[in-house]
Amino acid sequence: MFTAQEGDSTMNFIKWLLVLIAVIVIAIGSFLFYMRFHDGPIEVFSGGPFQSGEVIKAQPDWTEIADLTTFEVQTLVPARSRTTWLAVVDGRLFIPSGYMNTAFGKIWKHWPHYATKDGRALLRVGNRIYEQKLVRVAANDPIIPGVVAALNAKYPGGGTVEHVETNDTWIFELKPR
C-alpha cells in the first residue's frame, strides 16, 4: 500500500511531468507558428514566403548550381517555402520529393500536392530569386534514370527508378514560367 506521502510525491511528479510536456508542446507550436512568417525555411522546417532577395528575370544556367546540396523553393499557393535537394541533368534542374507513400510522408509532404495543382514557384539561390514553374516528371520519362543517378551520386539513401515508378518518389522539373 502507498502511504499518503508517497501518493502526494507521485502526484507532484505527474503534475510536473505534465507541465513539462505542456511547455514543450507550446514551445514547438510557437516555433512552427513563427516559421510560417519567417523569410524562408530554416533547414528542415518550412518557412513563410520569401521577403528578401533580388528577382532575376533571365533564365539561369542551372549547371552553375549543380554542386549545391540544397536550395530554397517557395510555392505561391500556399505561400510556403522549404529547403530541398536538387539534381542538374543535361542542364535541366530537378527536385525530388520522397516518402510520398509513407504515413510520415502523407503527414509531412504537402508541397508536392500543391505543386501539381498550381506549379508556380520561386527558387532562391543565395540572394537571387527565380520565378519558375514546378512540373511533375512522368515516371516513364527517359530523363528519370539520369535524375536518380545524379541524386544518388550526391545524397545517401539509394533512391531507385522503381521508387519513381511506384510513386514513392515524385520528381519535379523547374521550368521558366
Side-chain angles (χ1 to χ4, degrees):
M1 260 305 139
F2 286 112
T3 65
Q5 190 174 20
E6 288 173 333
D8 287 346
S9 110
T10 301
M11 287 304 293
N12 281 338
F13 173 76
I14 291 171
K15 286 179 187 176
W16 281 109
L17 182 61
L18 291 174
V19 166
L20 177 63
I21 291 170
V23 166
I24 291 170
V25 167
I26 289 169
I28 291 171
S30 297
F31 174 74
L32 294 176
F33 180 75
Y34 162 77
M35 285 304 298
R36 290 200 179 265
F37 303 99
H38 188 266
D39 178 17
I42 298 176
E43 297 301 326
V44 299
F45 297 102
S46 296
F50 297 151
Q51 299 167 16
S52 64
E54 176 188 357
V55 176
I56 307 295
K57 295 294 184 187
Q59 185 64 16
D61 175 4
W62 294 128
T63 59
E64 293 177 4
I65 66 166
D67 291 336
L68 290 179
T69 54
T70 61
F71 64 91
E72 299 173 344
V73 174
Q74 175 196 318
T75 53
L76 297 186
V77 179
R80 300 289 315 274
S81 57
R82 69 230 6 97
T83 302
T84 187
W85 291 353
L86 68 135
V88 176
V89 178
D90 296 334
R92 296 164 56 191
L93 178 59
F94 300 90
I95 60 174
S97 179
Y99 308 106
M100 295 303 293
N101 288 334
T102 65
F104 178 67
K106 290 176 181 174
I107 293 169
W108 181 38
K109 296 281 188 148
H110 296 274
W111 75 263
H113 299 285
Y114 299 141
T116 58
K117 292 177 184 163
D118 182 348
R120 293 175 302 146
L122 299 174
L123 164 68
R124 183 163 64 182
V125 179
N127 195 37
R128 297 170 303 200
I129 295 177
Y130 302 96
E131 295 178 332
Q132 298 292 299
K133 185 166 100 173
L134 291 162
V135 178
R136 186 168 175 201
V137 181
N140 62 354
D141 190 302
I143 196 77
I144 292 295
V147 173
V148 170
L151 290 167
N152 284 335
K154 192 184 281 191
Y155 309 103
T160 65
V161 172
E162 182 180 339
H163 289 145
V164 179
E165 293 171 343
T166 59
N167 287 318
D168 288 332
T169 299
W170 293 8
I171 304 291
F172 288 88
E173 182 175 1
L174 283 101
K175 294 185 172 188
R177 275 198 245 158

